[in-house]
Amino acid sequence: MREVAVVAFAQTRHSAVDEGLSEPELILPVIEEVRRASGLRTFGFTCSGSCDYLAGAPFSFVSALDAVGAWPPISESHVEMDAAWALYEAWVRLQHGDVDSALVYGFGKPSQGDLRQIMTLQLDPYYLAPLGLDHVSYAALQASARGADRAELDEIVRRSRAAGRANPYALDLPDPEGDAFAVAPLRPYDVAPPADGAAAVVLAAGDLARSVCERPAWIRGIAHCMDSHYLGMRDLARSASAAEAARAAGAGKAQVDVAELHVRFSHEEPILREALGLDGASAAATEINPSGGPLAADPVMATGLIRIGEAARRIIDGAAGRALGHAASGPCLQHNLVTVMEG
């Protein structure tokens, strides 16, 4: 397997309201930042992640390419999902050996619509969408199946929001309070707050990575796995696909110093800790979501990429020796991607 590393990462200061920026205006600053950080102006491959449902237009990623530039011509691809999967595609592309660098970026503006309605429209149109349930309602079913303890969920939200207040890119959210339900048993603060935002990552291979970054975050394992999208055909209290992705990526081979998890609902954290081998005494030294994670800001379609970028950043700056970045897609942790990085 060819050596590939994250050598630069940037993200926007996420906003809970529409600040009037078009997608190219949202993306351009983070692309310029990773160009400066890596010293690379052009890349062998470019891949993005976004959602036409959020933009309300087909092929919306095409207009976003204005942020990359029209010259020189680029080799480009796109995934209609979180940009963490764009990073996976770019990693696979670099394994071919004919290019040495890749630009990956993701963006979303959920402020332009009703996210709960939009996520419902994306469901399977034959069996799931006609039920009329949104992603929060499905998450509530999973929380009920898990039987999560209220005090544990409140502590997860409190810790995440406190870390988010120390993160200049996240939303400034108060500690959880109130006893109203979004959908029982989930309270509004158990749900990741949608935000407009974007992120970009530069991948580089071998000697190029070493030449542009003093301490590259080497990708030692990366894998993704999917459960059935029919909720009645899987155990919602667990995530078999996350466990399989972690096994394939080699997450359990050594101590993980930092784990950034794509926790869109507070009850997902204990499910993921169990699936990824981050629960129990052996994982006590692992710091979970020191950035605050999605519960501090959820820039939809960039959130998973940010988990990988945040984990990589702690390797690049020397704060961690081994880190795990996790991304999820689909209802009830249906599709999971795990990236293991080392300094």
Side-chain angles (χ1 to χ4, degrees):
M1 186 172 71
R2 194 181 190 203
E3 283 191 314
V4 173
V6 175
V7 297
F9 164 63
Q11 61 182 309
T12 56
R13 295 179 182 270
H14 313 313
S15 173
V17 297
D18 187 355
E19 296 185 337
L21 298 176
S22 66
E23 279 82 356
E25 289 173 322
L26 195 64
I27 300 162
L28 182 59
V30 296
I31 290 180
E32 287 303 307
E33 186 175 342
V34 294
R35 279 173 167 159
R36 288 192 298 270
S38 66
L40 301 173
R41 297 302 302 175
T42 59
F43 306 92
F45 183 63
T46 298
C47 196
S48 63
S50 65
C51 176
D52 284 353
Y53 281 82
L54 280 180
F59 299 102
S60 60
F61 74 94
V62 175
S63 62
L65 282 168
D66 288 345
V68 180
W71 188 265
I74 61 172
S75 172
E76 186 270 342
S77 186
H78 171 261
V79 298
E80 183 69 14
M81 59 194 309
D82 191 288
W85 277 265
L87 182 141
Y88 182 86
E89 181 176 339
W91 176 84
V92 171
R93 181 67 183 83
L94 288 173
Q95 296 303 312
H96 293 187
D98 58 327
V99 297
D100 295 325
S101 63
L103 170 66
V104 180
Y105 64 93
F107 60 95
K109 292 189 65 178
S111 67
Q112 297 181 123
D114 182 334
L115 185 61
R116 291 175 69 167
Q117 183 179 29
I118 290 168
M119 292 295 103
T120 301
L121 292 173
Q122 286 196 303
L123 293 171
D124 156 46
Y126 304 104
Y127 295 98
L128 297 183
L131 295 176
L133 299 181
D134 57 38
H135 68 299
V136 179
S137 300
Y138 284 121
L141 289 174
Q142 186 176 47
S144 296
R146 178 71 181 189
D149 177 73
R150 183 70 257 167
E152 180 185 23
L153 300 189
D154 286 349
E155 178 54 33
I156 289 169
V157 177
R158 190 175 294 109
R159 169 173 50 80
S160 299
R161 289 189 169 193
R165 289 194 291 272
N167 178 356
Y169 303 101
L171 303 178
D172 186 4
L173 301 170
D175 284 339
E177 60 181 13
D179 55 6
F181 290 110
V183 180
L186 297 178
R187 305 199 188 282
Y189 54 76
D190 290 313
V191 182
D196 291 0
V201 162
V202 173
L203 298 181
D207 291 340
L208 177 62
R210 296 182 180 90
S211 68
V212 301
C213 182
E214 183 176 346
R215 184 177 163 84
W218 296 103
I219 296 175
R220 299 306 188 195
I222 184 169
H224 67 102
C225 189
M226 184 187 299
D227 290 307
S228 169
H229 66 284
Y230 298 122
L231 304 185
M233 296 180 66
R234 51 187 167 110
D235 181 357
L236 294 183
R238 294 170 178 79
S239 180
S241 61
E244 176 57 25
R247 185 204 62 78
K253 291 181 178 179
Q255 172 66 42
V256 173
D257 300 319
V258 171
E260 283 282 342
L261 309 182
H262 197 161
V263 175
R264 292 168 292 180
F265 303 93
S266 59
H267 74 275
E268 292 179 342
E269 184 175 307
I271 293 175
L272 288 170
R273 286 202 310 261
E274 178 184 287
L276 302 176
L278 301 175
D279 58 344
S282 62
T286 301
E287 192 174 8
I288 304 292
N289 283 355
S291 68
L295 290 174
D298 184 17
V300 182
M301 298 301 145
T303 309
L305 180 65
I306 290 171
R307 306 282 67 77
I308 298 172
E310 286 280 9
R313 181 172 64 82
R314 282 165 172 77
I315 290 177
I316 291 171
D317 65 18
R322 193 168 190 263
L324 182 150
H326 163 267
S329 181
C332 300
L333 296 171
Q334 177 195 359
H335 193 178
N336 292 273
L337 184 150
V338 174
T339 305
V340 176
M341 294 163 285
E342 296 179 352

